[in-house]
Amino acid sequence: NAGVMQNPRHLVRRRGQEARLRCSPMKGHSHVYWYRQLPEEGLKFMVYLQKENIIDESGMPKERFSAEFPKEGPSILRIQQVVRGDSAAYFCASSPGGGHNYEQYFGPGTRLTVT
Amino acid sequence: GNSVTQMEGPVTLSEEAFLTINCTYTATGYPSLFWYVQYPGEGLQLLLKATKADDKGSNKGFEATYRKETTSFHLEKGSVQVSDSAVYFCALSRGSGGYQKVTFGTGTKLQVIP
């Protein structure tokens, strides 16, 4: 059973370009979470999605960031017009359910560098 | 809001030394508490957890006790190995709208030397 997969593992973008980060949850998992880790900081919650629905995006910047989890295919975190401050590691996690007792399984992360 | 504070690293220990990584938290109600470990180039893995006061989580020789009176969840291991070298994250989760929202500490890097 493959774990959570994220690609690309490393992404370099120039300021103003778009970044697309992909997350394939574990088989059978329909709940996806995105976290951001800025240098020297802990992981910060960004958004929680179920298939075709955004449940909680309270941690996501209001502008330039969007997330989706379509019926088919991976979850996508999209950052438009990237700036240097977007440089960070972005982690995706998945779980089989959303309740309190469900463990979140993390992917290896995508390290975004904005030049 | 919820927050987690853990000791800054890096922590460097010799093999077989005793390990303590301190973690304290701020949260309303009764959160669940976790320790995650991140090996180089990999994602976070759940190491252990405790869901109520006085619970002790344990795994692979690591243990931590949920102390509500001191709002702490310190990680300990009696004898570390080189293979324990990694970054350790303390975290808490609170139910919110039917799902758990996880808040992480900044991580403590552990380096064990032979």
Side-chain angles (χ1 to χ4, degrees):
Chain A
N1 188 10
V4 177
M5 298 175 67
Q6 291 187 247
N7 67 80
R9 295 290 305 273
H10 299 274
L11 181 61
V12 179
R13 285 287 178 266
R14 291 200 187 96
R15 278 179 298 169
Q17 290 184 319
E18 178 179 286
R20 279 183 176 243
L21 288 61
R22 294 175 189 77
C23 169
S24 296
M26 287 181 70
K27 188 176 180 181
H29 288 193
S30 58
H31 299 250
V32 166
Y33 309 77
W34 284 94
Y35 294 85
R36 178 166 66 175
Q37 183 180 28
L38 294 169
E40 309 303 321
E41 295 187 17
L43 280 74
K44 297 281 197 308
F45 168 82
M46 297 182 74
V47 61
Y48 163 52
L49 310 102
Q50 295 178 24
K51 282 284 187 181
E52 301 184 276
N53 287 304
I54 296 174
I55 307 301
D56 183 343
E57 55 183 349
S58 59
M60 203 148 69
K62 295 281 188 286
E63 297 178 355
R64 301 187 298 109
F65 285 72
S66 62
E68 62 177 13
F69 188 18
K71 188 176 180 182
E72 301 290 338
S75 175
I76 307 284
L77 179 68
R78 183 180 174 208
I79 311 172
Q80 295 178 290
Q81 300 172 349
V82 295
V83 301
R84 289 230 172 94
D86 297 333
S87 295
Y90 292 83
F91 290 92
C92 164
S94 74
S95 66
H100 192 60
N101 291 322
Y102 289 103
E103 178 185 341
Q104 294 182 20
Y105 294 81
F106 284 80
T110 294
R111 276 151 183 85
L112 172 66
T113 301
V114 179
T115 61
Chain B
N2 300 331
S3 66
V4 176
T5 303
Q6 60 183 106
M7 63 189 286
E8 288 190 24
V11 173
T12 301
L13 295 174
S14 297
E15 208 166 18
E16 298 184 4
F18 184 86
L19 168 71
T20 300
I21 300 178
N22 290 337
C23 171
T24 56
Y25 68 90
T26 302
T28 54
Y30 302 94
S32 293
L33 302 175
F34 307 83
W35 277 100
Y36 285 86
V37 59
Q38 184 180 28
Y39 298 103
E42 298 184 14
L44 278 71
Q45 300 173 27
L46 180 63
L47 180 60
L48 55 84
K49 68 178 183 182
T51 57
K52 60 182 188 297
D54 300 323
D55 266 3
K56 178 185 282 189
S58 61
N59 185 25
K60 300 181 181 179
F62 291 89
E63 56 182 39
T65 301
Y66 189 143
R67 301 280 188 207
K68 187 158 179 64
E69 64 275 11
T70 54
T71 61
S72 65
F73 193 55
H74 304 320
L75 183 68
E76 296 181 336
K77 186 175 185 181
S79 176
V80 294
Q81 306 300 313
V82 172
S83 57
D84 293 327
S85 298
V87 180
Y88 292 82
F89 292 90
C90 185
L92 68 83
S93 78
R94 285 277 288 128
S96 172
Y99 71 97
Q100 58 169 324
K101 210 164 182 177
V102 184
T103 301
F104 288 87
T106 54
T108 302
K109 185 174 183 178
L110 170 66
Q111 184 177 10
V112 181
I113 53 178

